[in-house]
Amino acid sequence: MLGGYRLGALAHRGDLADLYDVGADRLLKLPRDPADNDLLAREAHALRQIEERGDPRHLPYVPRLVDTFRHRDAASGAERRITVLAAVPGLHDLDAVRRAYPDGLDARDAAWMWRRLLVALGLAHRAGVVHGAVLPRHVLIEPDAHGVVLVDWCFSAVDGGTVPALVPGYEDWYPPEVTARKPAGPGTDLAMAAACMSWLMGDRAPRELRAFADGCRRPALAARPDDAWRLLGELDEVLDRLYGPRTFRPFTLNP
């Protein structure tokens, strides 16, 4: 038992914490190292701010914070910051998508993922929060209903701050302002989102979408797009020129 929650099976192993099933469609997030308590606190603060300031229509695009508390281990005396999040069944990260489509994903399928990811970022940015780690493992999709949830806000920057740390093994994914420990902005997330989608499509990306992604990934933060909602409109224009009016395209992880 932790804070009144009975730990069930290990559901996910994240970058710095393990997530356990505690029933009632909830997951308890337990940091493996107490030194990362500040990052768990950062996630809780970011999710609260998004919920308080964000458009309620788009809140399903981010995890819902249920509870947060401190727990001291009786044996070691170590104190950990713990969060409890609402669970959403049937989600798969973009790593799983790429494994299913190793030769690259059809751009028409990547399109709805990119569009919904921009909605998640638009929600957060309007609330003053930069995610700071838009990586394939943090972008979860629900294939049947074309849902997207952007998870792991432990590396977020609030109201013009800096990204506190880099996810080990993904250093090359970050734009220059993050590695230089300079303030992040919406363009930080938009660049990383474009990198995710370019990686997902691989050589199957049409020239127009490659150019669009390149425009999101200019080296200087000030030279990049900084409004996810406006960028969504521009993406829709590119997609309309490529494929015509939007239609629902069924997607499966079993091609």
Side-chain angles (χ1 to χ4, degrees):
M1 296 286 290
L2 290 179
Y5 295 93
R6 185 179 299 279
L7 266 63
L10 176 66
H12 304 285
R13 187 171 175 83
D15 299 316
L16 50 87
D18 296 325
L19 285 86
Y20 293 89
D21 185 355
V22 291
D25 292 326
R26 295 178 179 181
L27 295 172
L28 183 145
K29 190 168 186 176
L30 177 66
R32 291 186 289 274
D33 186 344
D36 291 327
N37 283 344
D38 62 319
L39 299 180
L40 270 290
R42 186 178 286 258
E43 177 174 55
H45 178 67
L47 292 177
R48 282 199 195 97
Q49 185 158 313
I50 292 171
E51 185 173 12
E52 291 169 358
R53 300 185 186 178
D55 187 330
R57 295 175 299 171
H58 305 309
L59 290 178
Y61 286 85
V62 303
R64 180 171 64 86
L65 181 67
V66 175
D67 196 4
T68 180
F69 58 93
R70 292 183 179 274
H71 172 77
R72 184 177 296 278
D73 186 273
S76 67
E79 184 176 87
R80 285 176 168 82
R81 178 69 175 262
I82 293 173
T83 56
V84 179
L85 304 169
V88 179
L91 297 178
H92 307 268
D93 64 26
L94 294 188
D95 282 332
V97 177
R98 183 60 192 263
R99 286 194 298 270
Y101 294 87
D103 296 328
L105 186 65
D106 191 301
R108 292 169 294 177
D109 296 315
W112 66 260
M113 300 176 195
W114 201 344
R115 294 189 74 259
R116 284 157 177 75
L117 179 54
L118 290 177
V119 172
L121 294 175
L123 165 73
H125 297 163
R126 290 284 172 88
V129 179
V130 170
H131 183 275
V134 183
L135 300 167
R137 64 191 305 169
H138 297 155
V139 182
L140 307 185
I141 68 159
E142 198 292 308
D144 293 339
H146 287 192
V148 165
V149 181
L150 182 57
V151 302
D152 205 340
W153 295 77
C154 292
F155 305 94
S156 57
V158 175
D159 297 327
T162 58
V163 174
L166 279 65
V167 177
Y170 289 86
E171 292 82 0
D172 292 344
W173 284 76
Y174 288 87
E177 67 274 10
V178 178
T179 53
R181 297 290 190 263
K182 294 181 179 179
T188 304
D189 286 343
L190 298 178
M192 298 187 77
C196 286
M197 293 302 151
S198 297
W199 169 82
L200 203 58
M201 292 182 287
D203 293 338
R204 299 186 68 183
R207 176 180 55 81
E208 295 86 348
L209 283 178
R210 286 199 299 269
F212 184 86
D214 289 344
C216 297
R217 300 173 63 190
R218 295 186 181 102
L221 177 60
R224 290 182 226 135
D226 64 357
D227 187 320
W229 296 110
R230 184 181 303 129
L231 190 64
L232 175 57
E234 295 172 2
L235 176 60
D236 282 344
E237 292 176 3
V238 175
L239 294 171
D240 186 68
R241 290 195 297 270
L242 282 170
Y243 304 115
R246 289 203 309 273
T247 58
F248 185 83
R249 178 180 163 88
F251 180 73
T252 176
L253 282 178
N254 298 299

